[in-house]
Amino acid sequence: MTVATAFAGMRKVVPVVFRAGCPDCRGRFELAASALRLAIGASSRTTFYSFTCPGCGAAVRKPAGERIVELLTGGGVRTLRLHSTV
């Protein structure tokens, strides 16, 4: 099977884009998966996503519940699993 045959009929892939807001400058924008990082910890307090605001350059960290984790991981956001020190 050739590459052309394997991909015949496939449509153009649209990159996943996430909407986000900055609490510092109140800017609203869209970010590619590569601009976000997801950290999954043992609790809701240690599970969050982060990014750098393209408007003001602030480091932004927001909590991530189950649905957010599902959306971000499904969209290709790089994930770091935090381990408990207990």
Side-chain angles (χ1 to χ4, degrees):
M1 176 183 288
T2 67
V3 173
T5 305
F7 290 101
M10 290 187 71
R11 297 176 188 223
K12 181 179 174 185
V13 176
V14 178
V16 176
V17 177
F18 298 94
R19 292 184 185 186
C22 176
D24 288 352
C25 70
R26 303 270 188 222
R28 309 234 8 110
F29 37 82
E30 294 182 339
L31 296 171
S34 61
L36 295 156
R37 299 292 175 270
L38 173 63
I40 299 175
S43 72
S44 60
R45 293 184 69 194
T46 58
T47 300
F48 59 91
Y49 65 98
S50 62
F51 58 91
T52 300
C53 175
C56 69
V60 179
R61 177 176 163 166
K62 294 187 175 189
E66 282 185 40
R67 181 70 176 138
I68 297 294
V69 169
E70 183 180 317
L71 291 169
L72 294 177
T73 55
V77 172
R78 283 195 277 180
T79 303
L80 172 66
R81 296 205 181 266
L82 305 176
H83 296 283
S84 159
T85 57
V86 177

